[in-house]
Amino acid sequence: MNNDELLRRSLAAVWHPCTQMKSHETLPLIPIARGDGVWLEDQEGKRYLDGVSSWWVNLFGHRNPRINAALRDQLDQLEHVILAGFTHEPVVELSERLSALTGLGHAFYGSDGASATEIALKMSFHYWRNVGQPGKTGFISLQNSYHGETVGALSVTDVALFKDTYAPLLRQSTQMPSPDWRLAAPGESAEAYALRCAGTLEAYLEQHHAETAAFIVEPLIQCATGMAMHHPAYLQRARALCDRYDVHLIADEIAVGFGRTGTMFACEQADIRPDFICLSKGITGGYLPLSTVLTTDAVYAAFYDDAVTRGFLHSHSYTGNALACRAALATLDIFTNDDVIAANRTRATVFESLMEPLQAHPAIRHFRHRGMIWAFDVQTADPAFARNFYQAALQRGLLLRPIGNTVYFMPPYVISDEEMAQLVQGSLTIIDTLLP
Ligand SMILES: *Cc1c(COP(=O)(O)O)cnc(C)c1O
């Protein structure tokens, strides 16, 4: 099938995500026929450097030989089996390994990030009921938070564009000031600002802890609302406050987990353990839909009972899918065998020096970096900046999707120095062409 025919059929048959479909009257879809490492390629051989890891899921490149081999092997044994009443080796091994990595356990599986959010919210709510505190039903999240777009997850998400239309469907939740250091007062350090925000959280919990079940937070980086980074001191204070006021801390590491912030999980940098951790995106190396929630023994114990209804009666058809778990195991093997966290640290140092021209650019503000994520804000009044940048990047063979005025790089970890330089050079050229 040639490109044109594929595009025509896609527009007729597929409803694409996060898109006003009419925009494709002027913005062409990009057909992809094959992947190779950090590259995506169409039928006619045009290539795109995947600077966003295909929406933050890909870690070790497209068509990774090691993940492919693991999946081929798994296909010859078991593709999927119902996980209620049954179990299998990949799901057991994955649960054990994630437990060893997070210090939590009892992995409960879903297929997408949003379903992990739903699971954590429901578990927290149900826990308080089971322990005789049914009044603890409220959830709090941060301003500019993103936890997914199903109805429950959207209730704790704070993005007007995604949320306002559905407001009548959503359950009330409360938002705390975001510790995003760009919002700090002039001269205020990231840490001081984080602690100031934690002060508001403290005041809220002091008043409302009796009706609050959980605080859900994206640790270190609020990715979806423009790679907003905060100081780990915020998480430390939040952990202490949740302990003091008997409120669960839910760490949504769906985007930041699996090495994105420079440690396996972002919570490690604050040296805290949440009550629930939500994982997805990179968990399968970007191969298959899989999400999971791990929690504490105390939470698990509150559900363990003779009464059926005190159990967690939640399920998804593909819970613990064997192929997805096997892809996740192959992904974890790569982390261990290649000492990925240490290797990324070296890589990031080289990349950081490649970024110097961006840092020095007069139209760029708030250049920021943590782990394997770089972001900066472009000073422009053009409301179409993101779309124009995206299109100009595609023309240069780069896949970059700014969020508002924020341009970011979140590439697969296998990106080479030369390829990273292409992202940087391309971005500089595009910014200079787009800005007056
Ligand atoms: C992407 C994301 C989600 C939702 O995951 P989906 O798989 O898209 O449903 C939730 N939380 C965070 C922090 C995310 O980045």
Short mmCIF file of all heavy atoms in Angstrom, two decimals, residues 63-121:
data_model
loop_
_atom_site.label_atom_id
_atom_site.label_comp_id
_atom_site.label_asym_id
_atom_site.label_seq_id
_atom_site.Cartn_x
_atom_site.Cartn_y
_atom_site.Cartn_z
N ARG A 63 11.77 -2.16 17.34
CA ARG A 63 12.22 -3.47 16.84
C ARG A 63 13.51 -3.89 17.56
O ARG A 63 14.46 -4.33 16.94
CB ARG A 63 12.43 -3.40 15.32
CG ARG A 63 11.85 -4.58 14.57
CD ARG A 63 11.53 -4.29 13.11
NE ARG A 63 12.40 -3.34 12.44
CZ ARG A 63 13.55 -3.66 11.85
NH1 ARG A 63 13.99 -4.90 11.86
NH2 ARG A 63 14.26 -2.72 11.25
N ASN A 64 13.49 -3.77 18.88
CA ASN A 64 14.68 -4.14 19.66
C ASN A 64 14.89 -5.65 19.58
O ASN A 64 14.00 -6.43 19.89
CB ASN A 64 14.47 -3.71 21.12
CG ASN A 64 15.67 -4.05 21.97
OD1 ASN A 64 15.89 -5.21 22.30
ND2 ASN A 64 16.46 -3.05 22.31
N PRO A 65 16.08 -6.09 19.17
CA PRO A 65 16.30 -7.53 18.96
C PRO A 65 16.07 -8.37 20.21
O PRO A 65 15.54 -9.48 20.12
CB PRO A 65 17.77 -7.62 18.53
CG PRO A 65 18.21 -6.23 18.22
CD PRO A 65 17.25 -5.27 18.86
N ARG A 66 16.43 -7.85 21.40
CA ARG A 66 16.29 -8.66 22.60
C ARG A 66 14.83 -8.80 23.03
O ARG A 66 14.39 -9.86 23.46
CB ARG A 66 17.15 -8.09 23.73
CG ARG A 66 18.63 -8.38 23.49
CD ARG A 66 19.50 -7.89 24.62
NE ARG A 66 19.84 -6.49 24.45
CZ ARG A 66 20.59 -5.79 25.32
NH1 ARG A 66 21.03 -6.38 26.41
NH2 ARG A 66 20.88 -4.53 25.09
N ILE A 67 14.07 -7.70 22.91
CA ILE A 67 12.65 -7.80 23.26
C ILE A 67 11.92 -8.66 22.22
O ILE A 67 11.07 -9.48 22.56
CB ILE A 67 12.02 -6.40 23.41
CG1 ILE A 67 12.80 -5.58 24.46
CG2 ILE A 67 10.55 -6.50 23.83
CD1 ILE A 67 12.34 -4.15 24.64
N ASN A 68 12.30 -8.48 20.94
CA ASN A 68 11.70 -9.31 19.90
C ASN A 68 11.92 -10.80 20.18
O ASN A 68 10.99 -11.61 20.07
CB ASN A 68 12.31 -8.98 18.54
CG ASN A 68 11.73 -7.71 17.94
OD1 ASN A 68 11.01 -6.97 18.61
ND2 ASN A 68 12.05 -7.45 16.68
N ALA A 69 13.13 -11.15 20.56
CA ALA A 69 13.45 -12.56 20.79
C ALA A 69 12.63 -13.11 21.96
O ALA A 69 12.11 -14.23 21.90
CB ALA A 69 14.94 -12.72 21.04
N ALA A 70 12.52 -12.32 23.03
CA ALA A 70 11.75 -12.77 24.19
C ALA A 70 10.29 -12.99 23.80
O ALA A 70 9.66 -13.97 24.21
CB ALA A 70 11.85 -11.74 25.31
N LEU A 71 9.75 -12.08 22.99
CA LEU A 71 8.35 -12.21 22.60
C LEU A 71 8.13 -13.42 21.69
O LEU A 71 7.14 -14.14 21.82
CB LEU A 71 7.87 -10.93 21.91
CG LEU A 71 7.57 -9.78 22.88
CD1 LEU A 71 7.23 -8.50 22.13
CD2 LEU A 71 6.40 -10.15 23.80
N ARG A 72 9.08 -13.66 20.78
CA ARG A 72 8.96 -14.84 19.91
C ARG A 72 8.94 -16.10 20.75
O ARG A 72 8.13 -16.99 20.54
CB ARG A 72 10.13 -14.89 18.93
CG ARG A 72 10.00 -13.90 17.80
CD ARG A 72 10.86 -14.25 16.61
NE ARG A 72 10.78 -13.15 15.67
CZ ARG A 72 11.68 -12.16 15.60
NH1 ARG A 72 12.75 -12.18 16.40
NH2 ARG A 72 11.51 -11.18 14.75
N ASP A 73 9.81 -16.15 21.76
CA ASP A 73 9.88 -17.32 22.62
C ASP A 73 8.56 -17.48 23.40
O ASP A 73 8.01 -18.57 23.52
CB ASP A 73 11.07 -17.16 23.58
CG ASP A 73 11.19 -18.33 24.53
OD1 ASP A 73 11.43 -19.45 24.02
OD2 ASP A 73 11.01 -18.14 25.74
N GLN A 74 8.05 -16.36 23.91
CA GLN A 74 6.80 -16.40 24.68
C GLN A 74 5.63 -16.84 23.80
O GLN A 74 4.76 -17.59 24.25
CB GLN A 74 6.53 -15.04 25.32
CG GLN A 74 5.36 -15.03 26.28
CD GLN A 74 5.53 -15.99 27.44
OE1 GLN A 74 6.62 -16.12 27.98
NE2 GLN A 74 4.47 -16.70 27.81
N LEU A 75 5.63 -16.40 22.55
CA LEU A 75 4.54 -16.77 21.63
C LEU A 75 4.45 -18.28 21.46
O LEU A 75 3.37 -18.83 21.26
CB LEU A 75 4.79 -16.14 20.25
CG LEU A 75 4.27 -14.72 20.05
CD1 LEU A 75 4.75 -14.19 18.71
CD2 LEU A 75 2.75 -14.66 20.13
N ASP A 76 5.58 -18.95 21.56
CA ASP A 76 5.58 -20.40 21.40
C ASP A 76 5.16 -21.13 22.67
O ASP A 76 5.07 -22.35 22.67
CB ASP A 76 6.95 -20.89 20.93
CG ASP A 76 7.20 -20.53 19.47
OD1 ASP A 76 6.19 -20.41 18.73
OD2 ASP A 76 8.36 -20.34 19.08
N GLN A 77 4.95 -20.35 23.78
CA GLN A 77 4.53 -21.01 25.02
C GLN A 77 3.11 -20.64 25.43
O GLN A 77 2.27 -21.50 25.61
CB GLN A 77 5.49 -20.63 26.15
CG GLN A 77 6.91 -21.11 25.88
CD GLN A 77 7.86 -20.63 26.95
OE1 GLN A 77 7.58 -20.82 28.13
NE2 GLN A 77 8.95 -20.01 26.55
N LEU A 78 2.85 -19.36 25.57
CA LEU A 78 1.53 -18.91 26.03
C LEU A 78 1.38 -17.45 25.68
O LEU A 78 2.23 -16.64 26.03
CB LEU A 78 1.43 -19.07 27.56
CG LEU A 78 0.16 -18.51 28.21
CD1 LEU A 78 -1.06 -19.37 27.85
CD2 LEU A 78 0.31 -18.42 29.73
N GLU A 79 0.29 -17.11 25.00
CA GLU A 79 0.06 -15.70 24.68
C GLU A 79 -0.72 -14.98 25.79
O GLU A 79 -0.42 -13.87 26.16
CB GLU A 79 -0.62 -15.55 23.30
CG GLU A 79 -2.13 -15.79 23.25
CD GLU A 79 -2.55 -17.19 23.66
OE1 GLU A 79 -1.73 -18.12 23.53
OE2 GLU A 79 -3.70 -17.37 24.11
N HIS A 80 -1.73 -15.66 26.33
CA HIS A 80 -2.59 -15.00 27.34
C HIS A 80 -3.43 -16.06 28.03
O HIS A 80 -3.81 -17.05 27.41
CB HIS A 80 -3.50 -13.96 26.68
CG HIS A 80 -4.42 -13.28 27.66
ND1 HIS A 80 -3.96 -12.35 28.57
CD2 HIS A 80 -5.75 -13.42 27.91
CE1 HIS A 80 -4.98 -11.94 29.32
NE2 HIS A 80 -6.07 -12.58 28.95
N VAL A 81 -3.72 -15.84 29.28
CA VAL A 81 -4.67 -16.69 30.00
C VAL A 81 -5.38 -15.81 31.03
O VAL A 81 -4.79 -14.85 31.54
CB VAL A 81 -3.98 -17.90 30.67
CG1 VAL A 81 -2.98 -17.45 31.73
CG2 VAL A 81 -5.01 -18.84 31.31
N ILE A 82 -6.63 -16.12 31.32
CA ILE A 82 -7.38 -15.42 32.38
C ILE A 82 -6.53 -15.44 33.66
O ILE A 82 -5.94 -16.46 34.01
CB ILE A 82 -8.75 -16.11 32.59
CG1 ILE A 82 -9.51 -15.46 33.77
CG2 ILE A 82 -8.62 -17.61 32.79
CD1 ILE A 82 -10.94 -16.01 33.94
N LEU A 83 -6.46 -14.28 34.34
CA LEU A 83 -5.61 -14.21 35.56
C LEU A 83 -6.43 -14.41 36.84
O LEU A 83 -5.87 -14.50 37.92
CB LEU A 83 -4.82 -12.91 35.60
CG LEU A 83 -3.57 -12.93 36.51
CD1 LEU A 83 -2.47 -13.82 35.95
CD2 LEU A 83 -3.02 -11.53 36.76
N ALA A 84 -7.75 -14.47 36.71
CA ALA A 84 -8.57 -14.81 37.89
C ALA A 84 -8.58 -16.33 38.01
O ALA A 84 -9.01 -17.02 37.09
CB ALA A 84 -9.98 -14.28 37.72
N GLY A 85 -8.04 -16.82 39.11
CA GLY A 85 -7.99 -18.27 39.30
C GLY A 85 -6.82 -18.95 38.62
O GLY A 85 -6.59 -20.14 38.84
N PHE A 86 -6.10 -18.25 37.78
CA PHE A 86 -4.95 -18.82 37.07
C PHE A 86 -3.73 -17.93 37.24
O PHE A 86 -3.86 -16.76 37.59
CB PHE A 86 -5.27 -18.98 35.57
CG PHE A 86 -6.27 -20.06 35.28
CD1 PHE A 86 -7.62 -19.87 35.55
CD2 PHE A 86 -5.86 -21.28 34.75
CE1 PHE A 86 -8.55 -20.87 35.31
CE2 PHE A 86 -6.78 -22.29 34.50
CZ PHE A 86 -8.13 -22.08 34.78
N THR A 87 -2.57 -18.51 36.98
CA THR A 87 -1.36 -17.68 37.01
C THR A 87 -0.36 -18.23 35.99
O THR A 87 -0.60 -19.25 35.35
CB THR A 87 -0.78 -17.64 38.45
OG1 THR A 87 0.20 -16.59 38.52
CG2 THR A 87 -0.14 -18.97 38.85
N HIS A 88 0.73 -17.54 35.80
CA HIS A 88 1.76 -18.00 34.85
C HIS A 88 3.10 -17.38 35.21
O HIS A 88 3.15 -16.39 35.95
CB HIS A 88 1.37 -17.70 33.40
CG HIS A 88 1.03 -16.27 33.13
ND1 HIS A 88 1.99 -15.29 32.96
CD2 HIS A 88 -0.17 -15.64 33.02
CE1 HIS A 88 1.40 -14.14 32.72
NE2 HIS A 88 0.09 -14.31 32.77
N GLU A 89 4.15 -17.99 34.67
CA GLU A 89 5.50 -17.60 35.07
C GLU A 89 5.84 -16.14 34.79
O GLU A 89 6.36 -15.45 35.68
CB GLU A 89 6.52 -18.53 34.39
CG GLU A 89 7.83 -18.61 35.13
CD GLU A 89 8.74 -19.70 34.55
OE1 GLU A 89 8.29 -20.87 34.43
OE2 GLU A 89 9.88 -19.36 34.20
N PRO A 90 5.55 -15.61 33.59
CA PRO A 90 5.94 -14.20 33.37
C PRO A 90 5.31 -13.22 34.37
O PRO A 90 5.98 -12.30 34.83
CB PRO A 90 5.45 -13.92 31.94
CG PRO A 90 5.45 -15.26 31.27
CD PRO A 90 5.06 -16.25 32.35
N VAL A 91 4.05 -13.43 34.74
CA VAL A 91 3.41 -12.46 35.65
C VAL A 91 3.99 -12.60 37.06
O VAL A 91 4.14 -11.61 37.78
CB VAL A 91 1.86 -12.58 35.63
CG1 VAL A 91 1.35 -13.77 36.45
CG2 VAL A 91 1.24 -11.29 36.17
N VAL A 92 4.34 -13.82 37.46
CA VAL A 92 4.91 -14.01 38.80
C VAL A 92 6.30 -13.39 38.86
O VAL A 92 6.62 -12.61 39.77
CB VAL A 92 4.97 -15.52 39.15
CG1 VAL A 92 5.74 -15.74 40.46
CG2 VAL A 92 3.56 -16.10 39.24
N GLU A 93 7.10 -13.69 37.84
CA GLU A 93 8.47 -13.18 37.85
C GLU A 93 8.49 -11.65 37.77
O GLU A 93 9.24 -10.97 38.48
CB GLU A 93 9.28 -13.78 36.71
CG GLU A 93 10.76 -13.62 36.94
CD GLU A 93 11.61 -14.12 35.79
OE1 GLU A 93 11.19 -15.08 35.10
OE2 GLU A 93 12.69 -13.53 35.58
N LEU A 94 7.62 -11.10 36.93
CA LEU A 94 7.57 -9.64 36.80
C LEU A 94 7.16 -9.00 38.14
O LEU A 94 7.76 -8.01 38.58
CB LEU A 94 6.61 -9.22 35.69
CG LEU A 94 6.48 -7.71 35.49
CD1 LEU A 94 7.82 -7.07 35.12
CD2 LEU A 94 5.43 -7.39 34.42
N SER A 95 6.14 -9.57 38.78
CA SER A 95 5.67 -9.01 40.05
C SER A 95 6.77 -9.05 41.10
O SER A 95 6.95 -8.08 41.85
CB SER A 95 4.44 -9.79 40.54
OG SER A 95 3.46 -9.82 39.53
N GLU A 96 7.52 -10.15 41.15
CA GLU A 96 8.61 -10.26 42.12
C GLU A 96 9.69 -9.23 41.84
O GLU A 96 10.22 -8.58 42.75
CB GLU A 96 9.22 -11.67 42.06
CG GLU A 96 8.31 -12.74 42.65
CD GLU A 96 8.80 -14.17 42.41
OE1 GLU A 96 9.79 -14.34 41.65
OE2 GLU A 96 8.19 -15.10 42.96
N ARG A 97 10.01 -9.06 40.57
CA ARG A 97 11.09 -8.13 40.24
C ARG A 97 10.67 -6.68 40.47
O ARG A 97 11.48 -5.85 40.92
CB ARG A 97 11.58 -8.37 38.81
CG ARG A 97 12.42 -9.65 38.77
CD ARG A 97 12.75 -10.10 37.37
NE ARG A 97 13.71 -9.22 36.73
CZ ARG A 97 14.23 -9.47 35.52
NH1 ARG A 97 13.87 -10.56 34.85
NH2 ARG A 97 15.09 -8.63 34.99
N LEU A 98 9.42 -6.35 40.15
CA LEU A 98 8.97 -4.98 40.40
C LEU A 98 8.90 -4.70 41.90
O LEU A 98 9.18 -3.59 42.36
CB LEU A 98 7.60 -4.74 39.76
CG LEU A 98 7.58 -4.70 38.23
CD1 LEU A 98 6.15 -4.57 37.70
CD2 LEU A 98 8.45 -3.56 37.69
N SER A 99 8.55 -5.73 42.66
CA SER A 99 8.50 -5.58 44.10
C SER A 99 9.91 -5.29 44.65
O SER A 99 10.09 -4.40 45.48
CB SER A 99 7.92 -6.85 44.71
OG SER A 99 7.97 -6.76 46.11
N ALA A 100 10.89 -6.04 44.16
CA ALA A 100 12.27 -5.83 44.62
C ALA A 100 12.74 -4.41 44.26
O ALA A 100 13.49 -3.79 45.02
CB ALA A 100 13.19 -6.87 44.00
N LEU A 101 12.27 -3.90 43.13
CA LEU A 101 12.72 -2.57 42.69
C LEU A 101 12.02 -1.42 43.41
O LEU A 101 12.59 -0.35 43.56
CB LEU A 101 12.49 -2.42 41.18
CG LEU A 101 13.42 -3.22 40.26
CD1 LEU A 101 12.88 -3.22 38.83
CD2 LEU A 101 14.83 -2.64 40.28
N THR A 102 10.77 -1.64 43.82
CA THR A 102 9.98 -0.53 44.38
C THR A 102 9.83 -0.59 45.90
O THR A 102 9.42 0.40 46.51
CB THR A 102 8.54 -0.52 43.80
OG1 THR A 102 7.93 -1.78 44.11
CG2 THR A 102 8.55 -0.32 42.30
N GLY A 103 10.11 -1.75 46.50
CA GLY A 103 9.87 -1.89 47.93
C GLY A 103 8.39 -2.04 48.26
O GLY A 103 7.99 -2.02 49.42
N LEU A 104 7.55 -2.17 47.23
CA LEU A 104 6.12 -2.42 47.40
C LEU A 104 5.82 -3.80 46.82
O LEU A 104 6.73 -4.47 46.36
CB LEU A 104 5.30 -1.32 46.71
CG LEU A 104 5.50 0.08 47.27
CD1 LEU A 104 4.94 1.13 46.32
CD2 LEU A 104 4.84 0.20 48.64
N GLY A 105 4.55 -4.21 46.84
CA GLY A 105 4.28 -5.54 46.31
C GLY A 105 2.85 -5.71 45.88
O GLY A 105 2.14 -4.73 45.65
N HIS A 106 2.42 -6.99 45.77
CA HIS A 106 1.04 -7.33 45.44
C HIS A 106 0.62 -6.63 44.14
O HIS A 106 -0.39 -5.93 44.10
CB HIS A 106 0.09 -6.95 46.59
CG HIS A 106 0.63 -7.33 47.94
ND1 HIS A 106 0.68 -8.63 48.37
CD2 HIS A 106 1.19 -6.59 48.93
CE1 HIS A 106 1.24 -8.68 49.57
NE2 HIS A 106 1.57 -7.46 49.93
N ALA A 107 1.39 -6.82 43.09
CA ALA A 107 1.17 -6.11 41.83
C ALA A 107 -0.20 -6.44 41.24
O ALA A 107 -0.53 -7.61 41.04
CB ALA A 107 2.27 -6.47 40.84
N PHE A 108 -0.98 -5.42 40.99
CA PHE A 108 -2.30 -5.57 40.34
C PHE A 108 -2.17 -4.97 38.94
O PHE A 108 -1.70 -3.85 38.79
CB PHE A 108 -3.37 -4.83 41.16
CG PHE A 108 -4.77 -5.21 40.77
CD1 PHE A 108 -5.49 -6.11 41.53
CD2 PHE A 108 -5.36 -4.69 39.62
CE1 PHE A 108 -6.78 -6.49 41.15
CE2 PHE A 108 -6.64 -5.07 39.23
CZ PHE A 108 -7.35 -5.97 40.01
N TYR A 109 -2.64 -5.70 37.93
CA TYR A 109 -2.36 -5.28 36.55
C TYR A 109 -3.56 -4.71 35.81
O TYR A 109 -4.69 -5.14 35.99
CB TYR A 109 -1.80 -6.46 35.75
CG TYR A 109 -0.42 -6.84 36.21
CD1 TYR A 109 -0.24 -7.76 37.24
CD2 TYR A 109 0.71 -6.23 35.67
CE1 TYR A 109 1.03 -8.09 37.71
CE2 TYR A 109 1.98 -6.53 36.13
CZ TYR A 109 2.14 -7.47 37.14
OH TYR A 109 3.39 -7.77 37.60
N GLY A 110 -3.28 -3.73 34.97
CA GLY A 110 -4.23 -3.19 34.01
C GLY A 110 -3.51 -3.09 32.68
O GLY A 110 -2.40 -3.61 32.52
N SER A 111 -4.13 -2.41 31.73
CA SER A 111 -3.52 -2.36 30.40
C SER A 111 -2.97 -0.99 30.04
O SER A 111 -2.02 -0.88 29.28
CB SER A 111 -4.54 -2.78 29.33
OG SER A 111 -5.19 -3.97 29.73
N ASP A 112 -3.57 0.07 30.58
CA ASP A 112 -3.11 1.42 30.25
C ASP A 112 -2.84 2.21 31.53
O ASP A 112 -3.29 1.81 32.60
CB ASP A 112 -4.18 2.16 29.44
CG ASP A 112 -4.34 1.57 28.07
OD1 ASP A 112 -3.48 1.82 27.22
OD2 ASP A 112 -5.32 0.83 27.88
N GLY A 113 -2.15 3.33 31.37
CA GLY A 113 -1.84 4.16 32.52
C GLY A 113 -3.10 4.60 33.25
O GLY A 113 -3.18 4.52 34.48
N ALA A 114 -4.09 5.04 32.50
CA ALA A 114 -5.31 5.54 33.14
C ALA A 114 -5.95 4.45 34.01
O ALA A 114 -6.49 4.74 35.08
CB ALA A 114 -6.30 6.04 32.09
N SER A 115 -5.89 3.21 33.57
CA SER A 115 -6.50 2.16 34.39
C SER A 115 -5.68 1.93 35.66
O SER A 115 -6.25 1.56 36.70
CB SER A 115 -6.74 0.86 33.61
OG SER A 115 -5.60 0.40 32.98
N ALA A 116 -4.37 2.18 35.62
CA ALA A 116 -3.58 2.10 36.86
C ALA A 116 -4.02 3.18 37.84
O ALA A 116 -4.16 2.94 39.03
CB ALA A 116 -2.09 2.23 36.55
N THR A 117 -4.27 4.39 37.33
CA THR A 117 -4.78 5.46 38.19
C THR A 117 -6.10 5.05 38.83
O THR A 117 -6.30 5.19 40.03
CB THR A 117 -4.97 6.76 37.39
OG1 THR A 117 -3.72 7.14 36.81
CG2 THR A 117 -5.49 7.89 38.26
N GLU A 118 -7.00 4.51 38.01
CA GLU A 118 -8.31 4.07 38.53
C GLU A 118 -8.12 3.04 39.64
O GLU A 118 -8.79 3.09 40.67
CB GLU A 118 -9.15 3.43 37.41
CG GLU A 118 -9.40 4.31 36.19
CD GLU A 118 -10.46 5.37 36.43
OE1 GLU A 118 -11.19 5.31 37.43
OE2 GLU A 118 -10.53 6.30 35.60
N ILE A 119 -7.24 2.10 39.40
CA ILE A 119 -7.00 1.02 40.37
C ILE A 119 -6.49 1.60 41.69
O ILE A 119 -6.99 1.27 42.77
CB ILE A 119 -6.01 -0.01 39.78
CG1 ILE A 119 -6.69 -0.81 38.66
CG2 ILE A 119 -5.46 -0.94 40.86
CD1 ILE A 119 -5.73 -1.54 37.73
N ALA A 120 -5.52 2.50 41.61
CA ALA A 120 -4.95 3.07 42.84
C ALA A 120 -6.02 3.87 43.61
O ALA A 120 -6.12 3.76 44.83
CB ALA A 120 -3.76 3.95 42.51
N LEU A 121 -6.83 4.67 42.89
CA LEU A 121 -7.86 5.47 43.56
C LEU A 121 -8.89 4.57 44.23
O LEU A 121 -9.27 4.76 45.39
CB LEU A 121 -8.56 6.41 42.56
CG LEU A 121 -7.72 7.49 41.87
CD1 LEU A 121 -8.56 8.27 40.86
CD2 LEU A 121 -7.09 8.45 42.88
#
